[in-house]
């Protein structure tokens, strides 16, 4: 009991310290380009924008939230974000803010709590919403946009979708939200009727996700029966298997170099687990499996790199065909 009281007191003291620290009470100035990884530098007179939020990238007790004034943290974040944003570079302007994401162990503690009870994710969610509002006000200029994020980034984006996309004038510009690696995403949102989950390859104004596992994976933080999942090879939500022969390509990075692997894996949804089961003979899979217990969360994006790219372009074309002169849908 004394140990529990000590832990509670320590946690209370830590939270009090954070609340008193101005770094965590002040808003980020998103008019300062130093607070963006990328802010629409690419020139695309047509096409779309992508608003991107990176996954959890910091670990350790010293920093409860990301501090990108630290050079090593900033460099790591920019480098990693680039590997995921490569998906959209051929056809979209990139908007990617820094945000005060929760450190890994703290974020994991919040994953399955109701939003109103989360201690460590709310600051980052607030930053992401603020950055999105800045993007809409100063940069969007009526262009269609994608949302793209993985893991903690996907969690922040779903909260953004709940509030910011409820406005019809913003929602009508929304092509799709790739909220990949979202833990146990609901299939419907009765309290937010403007949110729809994708059901095929070319529906628009939708969000979508999947969480990768092997067939014999153990219990996962990210998947459970009854939760939403779409297959990124055939864009179905049933258990029809997509074969490796239909895989347009995974992409893996080593330093600043990358290697593409077409026909990398098969993919099949397991409705009993709410998971995407992947099977591959490729050596990269075996490396990834080490110490993973079959949970392949870190590879959710890279396993399906070229499939996401092709699908985003397909959804953008479908969106553009549906436009009427006043940009309505």
């Amino acid at each position: 009991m004394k140990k529990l009281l000590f832990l509670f007191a320590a946690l209370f003291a830590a939270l009090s310290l954070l609340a008193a620290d101005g770094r965590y009470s002040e808003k980020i100035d998103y008019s300062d380009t130093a607070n963006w990884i990328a802010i629409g530098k690419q020139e695309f007179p047509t096409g779309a924008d992508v608003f991107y939020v990176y996954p959890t990238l910091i670990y350790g007790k010293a920093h409860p939230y990301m501090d990108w004034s630290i050079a090593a943290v900033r460099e790591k974040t920019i480098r990693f974000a680039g590997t995921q944003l490569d998906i959209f570079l051929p056809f979209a302007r990139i908007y990617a803010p820094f945000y005060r994401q929760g450190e890994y162990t703290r974020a994991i503690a919040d994953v399955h709590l109701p939003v109103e009870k989360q201690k460590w994710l709310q600051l980052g969610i607030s930053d992401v919403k603020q950055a999105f509002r800045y993007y809409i006000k100063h940069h969007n200029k009526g262009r269609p946009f994608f949302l793209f994020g993985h893991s903690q980034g996907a969690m922040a984006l779903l909260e953004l979708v709940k509030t910011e996309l409820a406005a019809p004038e913003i929602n009508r510009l929304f092509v799709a939200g790739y909220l990949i690696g979202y833990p146990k995403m609901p299939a419907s949102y009765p309290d937010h009727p403007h949110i729809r989950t994708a059901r095929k390859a070319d529906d628009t104004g939708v969000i979508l996700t999947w969480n990768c596992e092997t067939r014999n994976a153990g219990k996962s933080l990210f998947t459970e029966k009854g939760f939403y999942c779409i297959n990124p090879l055939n864009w179905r939500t049933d258990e029809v298997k997509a074969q490796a022969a239909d895989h347009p390509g995974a992409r893996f990075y080593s330093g600043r170099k990358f290697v593409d692997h077409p026909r990398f894996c098969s993919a099949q949804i397991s409705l009993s687990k709410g998971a995407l089961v992947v099977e591959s003979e490729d050596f990269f899979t075996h490396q990834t499996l080490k110490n993973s217990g079959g949970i392949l969360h870190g590879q959710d994006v890279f396993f399906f790199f070229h499939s996401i790219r092709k699908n985003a372009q397909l959804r953008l074309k479908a969106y553009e065909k549906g436009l009427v002169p006043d940009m309505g849908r």
Side-chain angles (χ1 to χ4, degrees):
M1 184 67 179
K2 288 182 178 179
K3 185 176 181 181
L4 287 174
L5 289 172
F6 173 79
L7 290 173
F8 178 79
L11 178 60
F12 180 80
L15 291 173
S16 299
L17 178 63
L18 292 175
D21 191 327
R23 291 177 299 169
Y24 305 129
S25 60
E26 295 177 358
K27 290 186 176 181
I28 303 298
D29 179 9
Y30 283 108
S31 68
D32 184 349
T33 57
N35 293 322
W36 293 82
I37 297 168
I39 189 163
K41 293 180 181 179
Q42 305 86 355
E43 292 299 328
F44 289 97
T46 58
D49 296 342
V50 57
F51 185 87
Y52 167 80
V53 185
Y54 47 83
T56 308
L57 296 176
I58 58 168
Y59 179 92
K61 295 181 180 179
H63 296 281
Y65 299 107
M66 175 176 279
D67 181 355
W68 55 93
S69 69
I70 300 171
V73 172
R74 187 178 186 87
E75 181 182 348
K76 175 184 178 181
T77 306
I78 292 172
R79 185 172 63 250
F80 182 88
T83 65
Q84 294 193 331
L85 284 168
D86 276 355
I87 290 170
F88 286 87
L89 280 179
F91 61 94
R93 297 190 308 196
I94 306 299
Y95 294 88
F98 284 104
Y99 72 108
R100 291 170 290 187
Q101 65 170 212
E103 177 270 338
Y104 173 78
T105 58
R106 295 168 171 94
I108 287 294
D110 267 4
V111 163
H112 298 307
L113 292 175
V115 173
E116 63 274 11
K117 293 184 178 181
Q118 293 173 351
K119 297 182 179 74
W120 305 106
L121 298 181
Q122 288 305 303
L123 183 63
I125 290 169
S126 177
D127 287 350
V128 167
K129 288 183 179 181
Q130 184 187 345
F132 181 78
R133 290 167 190 154
Y134 185 86
Y135 153 73
I136 288 292
K137 183 176 181 179
H138 297 282
H139 293 283
N140 175 261
K141 302 185 188 304
R143 287 168 60 90
F145 67 87
F146 292 93
L147 299 176
F148 175 39
H150 180 238
S151 197
Q152 186 174 166
M155 295 174 71
L157 283 173
L158 181 56
E159 297 311 306
L160 183 155
V161 170
K162 289 177 181 178
T163 58
E164 309 309 302
L165 268 63
E169 67 274 16
I170 297 176
N171 191 278
R172 68 188 178 88
L173 301 174
F174 177 49
V175 182
Y178 292 83
L179 312 189
I180 302 167
Y182 189 97
K184 302 179 181 179
M185 178 180 282
S188 62
Y189 297 83
D191 293 336
H192 304 279
H194 65 282
I195 301 178
R196 296 181 296 119
T197 48
R199 298 292 162 177
K200 56 181 183 174
D202 62 351
D203 44 6
T204 60
V206 293
I207 62 172
L208 52 95
T209 197
W210 60 84
N211 286 279
C212 296
E213 299 180 2
T214 61
R215 194 164 296 281
N216 60 350
K219 186 173 178 59
S220 171
L221 289 170
F222 306 101
T223 60
E224 188 176 312
K225 181 179 180 180
F227 287 90
Y228 171 79
C229 180
I230 197 167
N231 187 326
L233 291 187
N234 59 20
W235 303 101
R236 300 174 65 112
T237 57
D238 57 21
E239 292 187 311
V240 172
K241 186 175 183 178
Q243 301 298 332
D246 300 321
H247 195 313
R251 176 171 288 187
F252 300 99
Y253 290 82
S254 178
R256 299 184 185 278
K257 297 180 179 179
F258 66 84
V259 179
D260 288 330
H261 285 261
R263 300 177 294 281
F264 174 72
C265 65
S266 64
Q268 182 178 24
I269 290 174
S270 168
L271 295 177
S272 66
K273 299 180 75 174
L276 183 71
V277 175
V278 298
E279 294 177 311
S280 175
E281 297 299 322
D282 194 284
F283 130 92
F284 280 99
T285 300
H286 300 302
Q287 281 199 330
T288 304
L289 286 176
K290 290 180 180 179
N291 303 318
S292 72
I295 309 302
L296 303 174
H297 180 69
Q299 301 298 327
D300 291 328
V301 172
F302 301 114
F303 276 4
F304 300 100
F305 183 99
H306 286 284
S307 188
I308 300 167
R309 176 181 283 178
K310 289 180 64 177
N311 183 251
Q313 291 172 306
L314 178 65
R315 291 186 194 274
L316 180 57
K317 288 180 180 178
Y319 173 91
E320 291 170 340
K321 288 179 180 178
L323 291 180
V324 296
D326 67 353
M327 295 288 283
R329 285 196 285 168

